[in-house]
Amino acid sequence: MMKALVYGGPGQRSWESVPLPDVKDPDDAIVRVDAVTICGTDLHILKGDVPEVEQGRILGHEAVGTVLEIGSGVRNLTVGTRVLVSCISACGRCRYCRTGSYGQCRGGGGWILGHLIDGTQAEFVRVPFAETSLYKLPDAVADEDALMLADIVPTSYEVGVLNGRVSPADTVVVVGAGPIGLAAITAARLFSPAHVVAVDPAASRLEAASRFGADVTVRLGDGSPADVIAELSDGLGADVAIEAVGVPESFELCTSLVRPGGRVANIGVHGKPATLHLESLWSNNITITTGLVDTYSTATLLAMVHSGQLATHQFVTHRFGLEEMEEAYDTFGDAAVTGALKVALARS
Amino acid sequence: MMKALVYGGPGQRSWESVPLPDVKDPDDAIVRVDAVTICGTDLHILKGDVPEVEQGRILGHEAVGTVLEIGSGVRNLTVGTRVLVSCISACGRCRYCRTGSYGQCRGGGGWILGHLIDGTQAEFVRVPFAETSLYKLPDAVADEDALMLADIVPTSYEVGVLNGRVSPADTVVVVGAGPIGLAAITAARLFSPAHVVAVDPAASRLEAASRFGADVTVRLGDGSPADVIAELSDGLGADVAIEAVGVPESFELCTSLVRPGGRVANIGVHGKPATLHLESLWSNNITITTGLVDTYSTATLLAMVHSGQLATHQFVTHRFGLEEMEEAYDTFGDAAVTGALKVALARS
Amino acid sequence: MMKALVYGGPGQRSWESVPLPDVKDPDDAIVRVDAVTICGTDLHILKGDVPEVEQGRILGHEAVGTVLEIGSGVRNLTVGTRVLVSCISACGRCRYCRTGSYGQCRGGGGWILGHLIDGTQAEFVRVPFAETSLYKLPDAVADEDALMLADIVPTSYEVGVLNGRVSPADTVVVVGAGPIGLAAITAARLFSPAHVVAVDPAASRLEAASRFGADVTVRLGDGSPADVIAELSDGLGADVAIEAVGVPESFELCTSLVRPGGRVANIGVHGKPATLHLESLWSNNITITTGLVDTYSTATLLAMVHSGQLATHQFVTHRFGLEEMEEAYDTFGDAAVTGALKVALARS
Amino acid sequence: MMKALVYGGPGQRSWESVPLPDVKDPDDAIVRVDAVTICGTDLHILKGDVPEVEQGRILGHEAVGTVLEIGSGVRNLTVGTRVLVSCISACGRCRYCRTGSYGQCRGGGGWILGHLIDGTQAEFVRVPFAETSLYKLPDAVADEDALMLADIVPTSYEVGVLNGRVSPADTVVVVGAGPIGLAAITAARLFSPAHVVAVDPAASRLEAASRFGADVTVRLGDGSPADVIAELSDGLGADVAIEAVGVPESFELCTSLVRPGGRVANIGVHGKPATLHLESLWSNNITITTGLVDTYSTATLLAMVHSGQLATHQFVTHRFGLEEMEEAYDTFGDAAVTGALKVALARS
């Protein structure tokens, strides 16, 4: 038996004893969880917003761990290997996996951990398609640094920065300065934009945005993002607007802030449609992208953490032991009060 | 004096005598109009939908002609040169012109002919920024073939096919089989897609779509585009959807027809906002583009007409003398009855 | 036991009885060979030019067949599935396979069939990494059409046409009109170039080049490729030059034929260094690419064959039964006399 | 009359009185030179290596200055405007200028200043095609910072870093740590590579390389670049090798250092051919690029200097008054002794 965070239906979670996972398929691995975190998506599941998650499911889709057991078809991982467990599993064989679009896997992968199968908020986890879903970690990369590569950093990098084609000298606006927006700010800096403008209603989040790399901040309600960006861009607008909230208003704000020829990269998880003002945008040569993370950039990001280009541990504001899972949820769930960005739970 | 089609306010047009144009700026050219056409946009102007067009304006933004006079700063054009007059004028100096985005010119160009200054539906026309707005024509390219390169073909090619990144083996759906949609169908074929699906409510337009290169047609009302495309694409959806109508319904149809990872390229001129279903699209890795034509592809398209890759004269269904401008407008304006795609008026 | 074409050292080959292949690894498949061809590379092996091929090796790296048996780790193939056996095997897990660069596989794949392990010129063949190295065939695609997708067509498409970025209206020159050059001519046409110029010393090959899509041919010795291309390109040079021979002279010819800003795509297999005239090329903005085929385009090409965009059977000039392997080698090996492009051997 | 540095044939230069330049064409501007520098190419001219430079020519192709007079066709520059004079003049009208390839201008531009027409090492200079060859400078950008954008920085950025497609997490090797190599090291850092390895025989240059952003240095003769890079790249080789010397050995070293799939970007000015080892490179999927600077990136680089992303003044090691031109040449010409990288001469 082991301990795990089990979803018991809307509003219900508990850290309880459950059976140990077993190898089921030849390409499975069983991983001992050494460090794990909690995602905003886990909170959505607990609210009942993700109905395909069944009662009894172990949550969690981000971890760093150690391979304990492998299936007969696993060639390149050995017991004892330290690995990153990615939020996205990849069958490695389907049309989408063949082009690195693992998030859209048609072969049984995609976002499955803590969603369609048991996840990482446990002492042990079964990872299918292990060779294409786990990433070996260099010794020099600490657990906490690696942990941020399971979801938040590749999401902001791929879906925000790469989809938005952030380029040297760009003016980039990030709407929403929660964890994912802060990660987008940091990731945007990898391409040497001239300005990264953070927009948010909360002053505390804008302070964080400055620490994470924004050189200009606009408090919604106080200032006008359009005016600030016009000032920075000779009146043209932003080259790239990154949506990191997930509500219609912030998306529509993004489409209003980009210059002719600009890009809007949506990262936010939306529950409602937005209005697209084609009556003005039709002639503006804009590009809008959406995306679930594919994690094709994991190896790149890991190399940058390793070589010191990317300081990911800065996202971790609160630390717990693995057995303090419930307190960690409380802290993360009440971020407005606790100021939590990401929490890290480590096996003791 | 010369004859020209003068806009007299909403609903008012007349073929009347007006003064000859003069060189005003050192980079101007005066062009004698040898062939001219009428655009759907001209009909919009006549309806009063383009309020910045002043009464007394000569309409028209597409022509083939002969250089009659040049300003002192024009180096590479000489009197007597046969040229294409593009719908887009380019200052050649501003940030947007520097990157080929002439339609977004900040230096006084963009769509100005027949809009902000007098246009081409006349015996003569003044063309500003002549060296970067006129294209020398090879003798072997006939007036009518070249004329289609003034607007409709580059629009469908750039804003539809290139923005949509049509690629070999793609399944492409074109919603709307009017002239611009037909041009998009033809242009898409340049990249060897597996299927080009045309969608329209009118059977006659779908027949035209087949002639212009669609291998599958779906009559809205009769068939389900989604079902047809699912059948062609293993249930995934289209790689590219090209919107060629300009109403919310057709745009929304396009966003519903593309596969995860697909592209929606909007060509249509919209007067109203559309609904963007981010609640399903956020995780679908789609790309949406909009655009006014830039005409950066004009030289490429001209080379293809010249070498026989592109048969543009097929768009011309009705021919007139220049002095029959009013009849030409009547015919083009009543396309549902006359079946007109593009009309061509030639100087006699 | 089964019959197979066995390499016996330089100059030695025989169609002889050998043991049947077995599943060795969980991701293996055993495929019954229904159609097979011979590659120029097989002739190189027989000359002793590929020293890593051991005596006793079964040759051949191209086939169409039927899955007879699968390993325990194979999920998506079943016994009886009709498949293409690609010249490149892909482990699907390594850094290179993750980005579609299967030809550079670091996990035990790459070009291994008929090279490092037994190949396809046999009644049966073991294919490692079966799920990422075999391609399911639609019923509507005939064996012979599919067979050309095992090597020659993806090689010319990826290494020639895509690396050379052939684009609409380009002037493309293909130096060498043997089978791979002819395939490059055909594949280049998929992107609507204005001109495809074939250059070769043999008149018979130039006739073939015309049939396969070249609109201009230059017989080396008779005409000057530089003059012909200057004529087609306003004196600038070719946009793309594709090297399809594999000797220094043809490579150097290619670098001399491209315009400033042009691309040289090398397909040829070279045994000697070439001279790169950097004293003139340094300022010419040219791009030179080399490559072993990766076969990342196989699914795309298969879709084009299926939908009729690509007629691949035209490469097959001579047909044999599988048991006529030795005659097929004689015919293909003496192409100058027999005129063979590709031979196809079918199981009877 | 004014003072200027006049080329008097091989080995001959003098700072002498010459006539003031006049506006000749409607798109000319006369610029007062406020700051100017000397390029390695000027030293080549003085050696007689650039035979098209005539005796009596004023040298220099880099400056910062103030517009004194404009031709009748100049719209967007006014007398008194502070400008960067780029090494490349652009007609703005030809096929190459239309796609930003100004270095290949077919309309009378390209590298003409101090080459085919009188240059910038003078009190005043005539600049043709002024609107597309001069760049307005923000007040906040100092002369010396801007001066480096005339040639060395765009050259290393475009021809080295962008052609080499330097990307996050890459291992980049720069062969040659002279001024242009140092600029390439700095520019490469804009894209967050994991490692920038500098290779040079001179210890002093490698010290400079470390200051400019190299994290690893290899002294040719002492260490093996291949071994060092293998260590950094799991034995694969560099992602990008940038040649910044201009001799066959350094180019050949670059082609030997890149991994399969890697890029070699040649910046060096070569006087002799190099050997291209196609016998090993043919199957290695490498890309080699060459290029004269086009200066399409000037506005981007200027924005980065302005916003603090790029510290260009660090290249200036020695400062002179404009009238000390001869001493400046002596200092720059004897860089091995003086340690000069770039010299700056300012109008007093």
Side-chain angles (χ1 to χ4, degrees), chain A residues 272-296:
Chain A
K272 291 188 291 189
T275 300
L276 187 66
H277 287 285
L278 284 174
E279 75 281 14
S280 56
L281 295 172
W282 76 268
S283 62
N284 248 13
N285 295 23
I286 67 160
T287 301
I288 298 169
T289 54
T290 70
L292 184 70
V293 65
D294 283 320
T295 68
Y296 60 79

Side-chain angles (χ1 to χ4, degrees), chain D residues 244-286:
Chain D
V245 182
V247 299
E249 293 73 22
S250 60
F251 179 81
E252 292 160 23
L253 177 59
C254 284
T255 61
S256 76
L257 293 177
V258 291
R259 66 168 174 84
R263 291 86 71 191
V264 174
N266 184 80
I267 313 179
V269 176
H270 290 259
K272 290 188 291 190
T275 299
L276 187 66
H277 288 285
L278 284 174
E279 76 280 15
S280 55
L281 295 171
W282 76 268
S283 62
N284 247 14
N285 295 22
I286 67 161

Side-chain angles (χ1 to χ4, degrees), chain B residues 10-284:
Chain B
Q12 305 292 324
R13 58 171 155 81
S14 64
W15 179 249
E16 62 186 53
S17 287
V18 298
L20 285 166
D22 289 319
V23 165
K24 290 187 182 170
D25 290 310
D27 43 18
D28 281 354
I30 304 299
V31 174
R32 185 192 69 203
V33 174
D34 297 328
V36 65
T37 182
I38 305 170
C39 182
T41 303
D42 297 321
L43 302 182
H44 279 290
I45 294 172
L46 284 169
K47 281 191 202 142
D49 291 349
V50 190
E52 64 269 26
V53 179
E54 298 176 355
Q55 289 188 26
R57 177 70 63 233
I58 299 172
L59 298 186
H61 50 266
E62 306 163 276
V64 165
T66 306
V67 175
L68 272 200
E69 193 184 344
I70 56 173
S72 62
V74 175
R75 292 170 177 243
N76 295 315
L77 290 169
T78 50
V79 171
T81 304
R82 188 163 154 263
V83 292
L84 171 69
V85 184
S86 174
C87 64
I88 298 294
S89 302
C91 83
R93 300 144 161 120
C94 73
R95 166 185 177 160
Y96 282 94
C97 284
R98 285 293 194 112
T99 55
S101 193
Y102 310 123
Q104 306 293 337
C105 176
R106 261 32 186 187
W111 174 38
I112 55 173
L113 289 173
H115 179 211
L116 307 179
I117 65 172
D118 285 337
T120 58
Q121 291 168 0
E123 291 183 272
F124 304 93
V125 60
R126 179 180 75 92
V127 180
F129 311 113
E131 288 185 275
T132 41
S133 308
L134 295 174
Y135 296 82
K136 293 182 202 177
L137 291 174
D139 291 344
V141 173
D143 282 5
E144 249 181 37
D145 287 299
L147 187 57
M148 297 299 111
L149 301 185
D151 185 341
I152 184 174
V153 175
T155 296
S156 63
Y157 183 67
E158 296 177 5
V159 184
V161 173
L162 294 184
N163 278 1
R165 284 179 277 135
V166 173
S167 301
D170 273 358
T171 293
V172 179
V173 58
V174 178
V175 176
I180 197 74
L182 296 174
I185 290 167
T186 296
R189 280 289 175 206
L190 295 168
F191 291 92
S192 306
H195 301 291
V196 180
V197 181
V199 175
D200 200 281
S204 61
R205 288 173 157 228
L206 293 175
E207 281 160 31
S210 297
R211 286 198 311 277
F212 281 79
D215 57 308
V216 179
T217 60
V218 183
R219 191 168 168 199
L220 275 176
D222 279 13
S224 156
D227 290 351
V228 168
I229 288 167
E231 173 93 21
L232 292 171
S233 61
D234 271 329
L236 281 176
D239 298 287
V240 186
I242 297 178
E243 203 281 350
V245 182
V247 299
E249 294 72 23
S250 60
F251 179 81
E252 293 160 22
L253 178 59
C254 284
T255 62
S256 75
L257 292 177
V258 290
R259 66 168 175 85
R263 291 88 71 191
V264 173
N266 183 80
I267 313 179
V269 176
H270 290 259
K272 291 189 291 189
T275 299
L276 188 65
H277 287 285
L278 284 173
E279 76 281 14
S280 56
L281 295 171
W282 76 268
S283 62
N284 248 13

